[in-house]
Amino acid sequence: MAATNDRQRAYLARGRRFKSKSAEALALLFVAGFSAWVATFPRRDDSVDDVQSEFELRGEAVPFELVATQVEEIAALTSELMGFADKPAESAFMLA
């Protein structure tokens, strides 16, 4: 199957490292990648995109149902981060 988006093209350029993994192993990697994303938010490793791309390139459904909790946590962290960005500075610094 040919790459259909930038994420897939980037994965292919990196060497399609998950090509030989079973669907079960990919699912475990997918969950681990999302869990790591929550733990290191907002940083995210390319493995999340790479595993998703491997599922897509195989024509298999990406198992988002396995990471529903992590997706909710990421959404909450994103909202919290956006809330900090929207708040004006509560205190001013004075230079003497």
Side-chain angles (χ1 to χ4, degrees), residues 2-16 53 57:
T4 59
N5 59 48
D6 290 340
R7 182 179 14 78
Q8 291 174 3
R9 282 188 281 281
Y11 171 60
L12 290 171
R14 285 190 290 275
R16 199 172 177 184
S53 294
L57 289 167

Side-chain angles (χ1 to χ4, degrees), residues 7 11 17-18 25-31 33 46-57 62-63:
R7 182 179 14 78
Y11 171 60
R17 62 186 169 147
F18 299 124
L26 277 180
L28 290 173
L29 288 168
F30 193 63
V31 172
D46 287 337
S47 65
V48 172
D49 289 337
D50 287 354
V51 173
Q52 181 176 343
S53 294
E54 184 59 44
F55 276 114
E56 293 168 345
L57 289 167
V62 181

Side-chain angles (χ1 to χ4, degrees), residues 7-88:
R7 182 179 14 78
Q8 291 174 3
R9 282 188 281 281
Y11 171 60
L12 290 171
R14 285 190 290 275
R16 199 172 177 184
R17 62 186 169 147
F18 299 124
K19 184 177 183 179
S20 64
K21 298 286 186 190
S22 68
E24 294 80 18
L26 277 180
L28 290 173
L29 288 168
F30 193 63
V31 172
F34 267 84
S35 296
W37 186 7
V38 169
T40 62
F41 185 85
R43 288 184 283 150
R44 183 177 80 174
D45 188 82
D46 287 337
S47 65
V48 172
D49 289 337
D50 287 354
V51 173
Q52 181 176 343
S53 294
E54 184 59 44
F55 276 114
E56 293 168 345
L57 289 167
R58 293 179 184 190
E60 297 177 14
V62 181
F64 286 109
E65 69 279 0
L66 298 178
V67 294
T69 300
Q70 292 90 335
V71 169
E72 289 176 10
E73 290 177 40
I74 291 165
L77 289 167
T78 300
S79 292
E80 183 179 330
L81 189 61
M82 294 304 292
F84 285 127
D86 292 339
K87 289 183 181 178

Side-chain angles (χ1 to χ4, degrees), residues 91-96:
S91 62
F93 293 97
M94 294 179 58
L95 299 176

